[in-house]
Amino acid sequence: MSSSGMVVNSIPKVFGTELTMIRILRCWTMLSAALTCPLWGQTAAPPPLYAESFRHGATRVTEKTFEAQLSPQKPVYREPIKDVRGNDRYVLSLAPLHVEGDFQIVSWEAKLADLQHRMYANVLMTSQIPSDDPLNNAWWLDPGKFARVPVLTERIIRVDGFYVVLRVMGYHFTPSESPYLDSMTIQVNITNTDPRAAKYSGGSGAGGSIGSRGN
């Protein structure tokens, strides 16, 4: 047998096993990375959603920003909105939605009621006729898999001469694999200035928002 053959055969089996394990680990790492990348993409913040109410008046309001921390113990939040003259004009409410026949909370809804026009229960809608259109469901804060608007989407809704910005800052299910919520934190910004003007002032315009409509 040649000397070269003796050198090859003299490689310890333990070393050969280590090489095999290293190759396996490398393959597993590459496979894990390939599987993980799509998941990272899914958790990326979605682009903002811009919608316009069916109300196209000129009313402007007293600007404010507030945060609501909701839970089954405190499921409802209400905030009065004044016009620029200081008069109560709207009421924004956050209320839970339940599965029919159940008391567990599966989502929350935002409503903006016009105190001068009581027939308008929610002027955050683009149409008074319910539909599956994401623009007409910007008020629905639904973390479910089949939500019309992804729950972490920033929603910018123009009502009359002002804007309502809704943003879910966090939420939690109990148990974690169930559809039942035990908390949700919502930030609300009421402003007379189009939030997109500052966000996209670099010249990109509102093209980055999904379902956007011109003013």
Side-chain angles (χ1 to χ4, degrees), residues 23-208:
R23 293 190 184 100
I24 292 174
L25 289 173
R26 285 178 177 173
C27 290
W28 175 250
T29 301
M30 294 173 64
L31 179 59
S32 298
L35 293 175
T36 304
C37 286
L39 295 179
W40 292 341
Q42 292 174 11
T43 57
L49 174 71
Y50 175 75
E52 293 187 359
S53 167
F54 61 88
R55 288 289 306 276
H56 293 157
T59 304
R60 296 171 73 82
V61 296
T62 301
E63 298 180 326
K64 62 168 59 179
T65 298
F66 54 91
E67 189 171 274
Q69 297 183 356
L70 305 168
S71 68
Q73 293 72 38
K74 295 181 178 180
V76 178
Y77 183 97
R78 289 186 175 87
E79 184 77 17
I81 309 297
K82 298 180 181 296
D83 61 23
V84 291
R85 297 176 181 174
N87 302 314
D88 288 337
R89 177 62 194 271
Y90 303 91
V91 173
L92 188 138
S93 62
L94 300 167
L97 291 174
H98 308 268
V99 175
E100 185 175 355
D102 198 346
F103 63 91
Q104 301 277 16
I105 298 172
V106 294
S107 61
W108 263 275
E109 64 176 353
K111 288 186 175 182
L112 187 67
D114 186 338
L115 298 179
Q116 291 189 6
H117 301 87
R118 298 286 182 173
M119 74 286 291
Y120 299 142
N122 189 8
V123 296
L124 296 179
M125 301 178 69
T126 60
S127 169
Q128 297 185 74
I129 301 175
S131 69
D132 291 336
D133 186 348
L135 296 180
N136 204 32
N137 289 275
W139 52 271
W140 188 0
L141 309 172
D142 179 12
K145 295 181 180 179
F146 304 105
R148 290 167 175 79
V149 180
V151 69
L152 297 181
T153 301
E154 180 185 54
R155 303 123 196 273
I156 302 171
I157 308 169
R158 180 174 180 175
V159 182
D160 290 336
F162 64 97
Y163 301 81
V164 177
V165 184
L166 302 171
R167 181 184 296 174
V168 174
M169 308 303 292
Y171 60 92
H172 188 264
F173 296 102
T174 296
S176 58
E177 67 278 3
S178 78
Y180 302 126
L181 290 160
D182 65 15
S183 66
M184 180 176 283
T185 301
I186 304 167
Q187 183 186 83
V188 181
N189 181 24
I190 310 295
T191 176
N192 294 313
T193 304
D194 189 341
R196 300 172 301 164
K199 184 174 296 185
Y200 300 109
S201 59
S204 58

Side-chain angles (χ1 to χ4, degrees), residues 14-29:
V14 174
F15 184 63
T17 302
E18 290 179 353
L19 286 176
T20 302
M21 290 301 297
I22 290 172
R23 293 190 184 100
I24 292 174
L25 289 173
R26 285 178 177 173
C27 290
W28 175 250
T29 301

